Amino acid sequence: SEYVRGQIVRITHNPFGVCVMEVAGLFTKVTATLLKQRNILGIYTSDTVFEGESYRKEAEELKAGKLPVADWVFVGIQQSENTVSAYTSGMYLFGKNEMEILNSSRTKEEIYEMLHQLTKYILENDVVLREGDVICLSEEHEFQVEWSQGVFTEGLSVKISY
């Protein structure tokens, strides 16, 4: 008998017009179950590889009625000597544009948390960001939205000044 070394699951389109969030939720449940198998280390999705255990823990959010955003959208961090930049990868799966924060003086933890929370807000509320919009996540977090060619992403991306 032949030993199976890996499995690849790929959803390429939504032929039945089912809600994208429902498809993503089902995909996450199936994937989290598959990741319980012995010898499976992780999953490649949203243009990155997620470690199996962390993916399964995040998938538990579905049981609480929450979105497992960290399983669906990767937030990448790029740190230079004096600034931090971040970008999303996976928003396109939900018909949304990727987002970037460029050359911020904030910490990488602050940048990650802000971009993660913004991603969650956009997906939960089906928000469409337009040029010139102002995003208010709280009284102290208000951001201007701009569109331009992606630096860390392909095509146009939403730039958020933070």
Side-chain angles (χ1 to χ4, degrees), residues 52-129:
E53 182 62 26
S54 62
Y55 188 93
R56 287 197 336 263
K57 282 182 182 176
E58 182 69 13
E60 293 289 321
E61 293 288 306
L62 287 168
K63 291 180 182 175
K66 298 177 183 177
L67 301 181
V69 175
D71 282 352
W72 295 348
V73 179
F74 174 72
V75 175
I77 303 288
Q78 296 287 326
Q79 190 163 8
S80 67
E81 193 171 312
N82 299 319
T83 63
V84 177
S85 297
Y87 62 95
T88 62
S89 180
M91 294 295 284
Y92 66 92
L93 297 169
F94 300 93
K96 307 291 183 190
N97 285 82
E98 302 300 344
M99 299 178 287
E100 296 180 301
I101 297 171
L102 302 174
N103 303 318
S104 176
S105 60
R106 301 198 185 240
T107 67
K108 60 185 176 186
E109 293 81 11
E110 289 174 307
I111 297 289
Y112 175 87
E113 186 60 29
M114 198 289 290
L115 202 49
H116 176 77
Q117 290 302 322
L118 181 57
T119 298
K120 186 175 182 175
Y121 172 77
I122 288 170
L123 294 180
E124 285 176 344
N125 299 288
D126 196 23
V127 173
V128 176
L129 297 176

Side-chain angles (χ1 to χ4, degrees), residues 27-80:
F27 176 81
T28 303
K29 289 175 186 177
V30 169
T31 302
T33 300
L34 290 172
L35 286 169
K36 290 179 182 177
Q37 294 182 41
R38 199 177 56 165
N39 298 327
I40 296 182
L41 300 176
I43 177 173
Y44 178 81
T45 185
S46 302
D47 298 324
T48 194
V49 177
F50 291 93
E51 188 270 327
E53 182 62 26
S54 62
Y55 188 93
R56 287 197 336 263
K57 282 182 182 176
E58 182 69 13
E60 293 289 321
E61 293 288 306
L62 287 168
K63 291 180 182 175
K66 298 177 183 177
L67 301 181
V69 175
D71 282 352
W72 295 348
V73 179
F74 174 72
V75 175
I77 303 288
Q78 296 287 326
Q79 190 163 8
S80 67

